[in-house]
Amino acid sequence: MTRPGGTWQNWARSTHVRPVRVERPRTPEGVQRAVQAAVALNLPIKAVGAGHSFTGIAVAPGVLLELDDLQGLVSVDTDKSTVTLLAGTRLHRIPRMLAPHGLAMENLGDIDRQSIAGAISTGTHGTGARFGGIATQVVGATLVTADGEFLRVSDTENADLLPAVALGLGALGILVEVTLQCVPAFVMHAIDEPVPLEEVLTTLDERVAASDHFEFYWFPHTDVALTKRQTRLPESAPRKPLPAVGRWIDETLLSNGVYRAVCAAGQIIPAVTPPFSRLAVKLTGDREYTDRSHSVLTQSRNVRFREMEYAFPAENVVPAFREIQALIAQRGWKIEFPIEVRFAASDDLWLSTAHGRASGYIAVHRYWRADPTAYFEAVEKICLEYGGRPHWGKLHTLDAEQLRERYPRFGDFVALRDRLDPARRFANRHLERILGE
């Protein structure tokens, strides 16, 4: 995370900072002491997890708290099926912690390298029209506020703050513990298959409703959608995982190794991108298997990229997608990364991208060495026309006034921030842009 010489950079290499100091607390009390010391020195302080946000939301120009050592299971309530985790715990480690208790997280995003605190604070989500983002699984949290004190939020303590704290952008305090509502462990039957894109678009509502989890990827320059549909089954259901060799070929050799080389080549010779995309949809995305939930919901992504994602009212996904599709053709861009389409249930979290509406998501990506500006800005204009809300951890250009119009509880969140952090101890330039100074 923090390189020799004191420079911190995120995974996508889209932002970096040289903090005044770096601290690595091992306990919640260590975080508390770090906040108290920062206040005494009049320095801003921010925590970083795995650095998987593409924006500057976690940039810490003053005191940077690396939470790599603040990981682990604090407690389990088997009667309520809840677990409390230290805030720096990486998502990919949680399944092993839950397994002895017969529990699992209800849903996950497709990447599991993030910390639990970072994932909920930026609105990380998976797919499934009946399931919310990871933050909707939060039933309790403990954070250190700007006065250096612990604030505990649950259904019995400060319950009115939970819809704000569960997805707090790192603006309300430093999370040190997170309590999740889990579900009994389960397995998933997955079918990945290529389907003509037009067929998917014209039957999208039915496809989303027919599966517990549905999503599709579309490589520009092709007429095929790579669909993924998954059905939840009891833990006792027979498992038929992917053969190790086949999975290695699909996910390591083709999806990461060969794909990285083609992305790099496409920066020099853009003409190689369309034929490779057409080849990619023939070689990948056609398989069926049954495995533990976390093995199906997540995948390995080693090719660095930059991403912008917008959430729409679910009924606006298809028209917005068609305009993006037409835009790419009109501009003649050679886009090497697929467009991803996912879905989520409505929720009541104040700053959730799915607040108050069933939502669909469209995500666009560029290889990290490519300049995404023209592509992302043009796509963003379309997204805004269809009522889009930007993912908090991904690139966008909106500021506080624009965001206020898109979130009914935006004013309430800012007022809470004013109360908990009046001196802006947890602020940085990015938060000033999206929340105001």
Side-chain angles (χ1 to χ4, degrees), residues 9 48 50 52 60 70 75 81 89 93 98 115 154 161 205 208 216 232 237 260 262 288 290 300 330 363 377 409 413:
Q9 60 184 356
V48 298
H52 264 269
L70 196 72
S75 64
S81 296
T89 305
R93 292 177 176 162
L98 301 186
S115 68
S154 68
L161 302 185
D205 290 346
V208 172
F216 76 86
R232 300 160 79 97
R260 180 185 292 107
V262 172
E288 181 174 357
T290 303
S300 174
Q330 292 165 3
E377 287 184 353
R409 303 299 299 270
F413 185 89

Side-chain angles (χ1 to χ4, degrees), residues 120-123 135 162-170 349 351-353 392 413:
I120 66 171
S121 295
T122 54
L162 187 60
V165 170
L167 204 169
L169 309 183
L349 303 183
L351 292 187
S352 169
T353 50
W392 295 109
F413 185 89

Side-chain angles (χ1 to χ4, degrees), residues 420-434:
L420 295 181
D421 187 17
R424 301 293 188 262
R425 299 295 179 187
F426 307 117
N428 60 20
R429 190 171 299 173
H430 181 79
L431 288 176
E432 288 171 358
R433 190 191 97 206
I434 63 174

